[in-house]
Amino acid sequence: MAYILNIETATKNCSVSVANNGETITLKELNSGEYSHAEKLHEFIEEVIRKSKIELSDLKAVAVSKGPGSYTGLRIGVSAAKGLCFALEIPLISVDTLKTLALSVSITEGCVIPLLDARRMEVYSSVFDSKNKKIRGVKAEIITEDSFNDFLIKQKVYLVGDGVEKCKGVIVNKNAVFIDDKLPSANEMAMLSYEKFKKNDIEDIAYFEPFYLKDFVALKSKKSLF
């Protein structure tokens, strides 16, 4: 048995699962509309381990969402995953956040474009075919009426993620299908992390960093200092 702990904190969804041989046993997640990872992540880890009726020592690996996504969210998830891997002396696996999100949509034709909010009218996106093969790499891009036209002129395009709201009313192509209320989840990470585990596709725990795509920008406080 290959028990893997999956940690997803790239968005406002704080999500943790335990999977065995690629199948989710226990899932705990919360999207409160706020970033609750600092308060909830370790609590969720303890809960899924307990409900799965295993011990931390039974884990064969820890998988973490590698981004792109929230700078702070990714840092929290990666720090927790590294700590567990160091303590338990088990491998660290990283999973593409956008591929995880794409897996939340099941299609037989066309393509899926997972979209994550990246401030203002910008999104992080990539493109996957109906078999979940990546056919366009990750980009940070500003949404316009011409966004994704190369794909929309050929086929149905399913747009999913918290970046979808930025596309509605801007992208009017009839082939665009907007899927609401989906965020990356540790549930969809299960098979991806297991496939990497079988291939021994692991990270260097000491040097691994999340894939931020863009530099962190600190927002100025609206409160006056004087």
Side-chain angles (χ1 to χ4, degrees):
M1 285 188 254
Y3 290 111
I4 297 176
L5 178 72
N6 298 285
I7 298 172
E8 168 55 67
T9 56
T11 67
K12 292 178 180 178
N13 190 32
C14 183
S15 183
V16 183
S17 73
V18 170
N20 182 25
N21 294 343
E23 294 187 8
T24 299
I25 300 173
T26 308
L27 174 70
K28 178 70 175 182
E29 55 188 359
L30 174 68
N31 174 23
S32 64
E34 303 291 337
Y35 286 100
S36 59
H37 312 323
E39 297 82 15
K40 297 295 184 181
L41 181 57
H42 290 282
E43 173 188 326
F44 286 5
I45 291 171
E46 292 176 1
E47 184 173 336
V48 296
I49 293 294
R50 183 177 69 254
K51 288 187 175 180
S52 299
K53 298 181 180 180
I54 64 172
E55 302 292 334
L56 283 172
S57 58
D58 293 319
L59 295 174
K60 298 298 184 184
V62 177
V64 67
S65 182
K66 71 177 181 180
S70 158
Y71 181 94
T72 302
L74 290 169
R75 295 295 296 179
I76 291 171
V78 168
S79 294
K82 282 186 173 186
L84 286 167
C85 290
F86 270 122
L88 299 170
E89 298 182 338
I90 55 177
L92 174 67
I93 297 169
S94 69
V95 176
D96 182 337
T97 304
L98 289 169
K99 189 167 187 176
T100 297
L101 180 55
L103 272 177
S104 67
V105 180
S106 180
I107 61 172
T108 56
E109 59 182 6
C111 64
V112 178
I113 300 182
L115 303 161
L116 293 179
D117 191 353
R119 297 196 300 269
R120 300 184 181 88
M121 282 302 291
E122 197 168 13
V123 298
Y124 302 127
S125 71
S126 56
V127 184
F128 296 84
D129 65 16
S130 59
K131 297 181 180 180
N132 204 41
K133 179 182 178 182
K134 185 180 287 187
I135 55 177
R136 199 216 71 190
V138 182
K139 291 183 181 180
E141 54 194 314
I142 296 172
I143 295 299
T144 71
E145 61 184 6
D146 297 319
S147 293
F148 315 122
N149 272 354
D150 289 349
F151 303 97
L152 287 163
I153 61 175
K154 303 174 186 176
Q155 61 199 320
K156 286 288 185 185
V157 175
Y158 299 82
L159 299 108
V160 58
D162 63 2
V164 165
E165 285 301 317
K166 294 181 178 180
C167 299
K168 293 179 179 178
V170 179
I171 297 175
V172 295
N173 191 295
K174 65 181 181 180
N175 279 333
V177 180
F178 302 105
I179 300 175
D180 296 313
D181 303 321
K182 293 283 190 180
L183 288 172
S185 170
N187 185 48
E188 280 75 42
M189 285 180 70
M191 182 53 69
L192 297 176
S193 60
Y194 181 56
E195 290 300 321
K196 283 198 160 188
F197 175 78
K198 289 191 294 182
K199 297 174 184 176
N200 198 36
D201 185 355
I202 61 177
E203 303 293 344
D204 185 311
I205 299 172
Y207 295 102
F208 174 73
E209 291 290 334
F211 175 49
Y212 298 118
L213 192 57
K214 295 199 306 182
D215 292 334
F216 174 66
V217 177
L219 299 177
K220 293 181 179 179
S221 173
K222 295 180 181 179
K223 294 181 180 180
S224 174
L225 296 177
F226 303 98

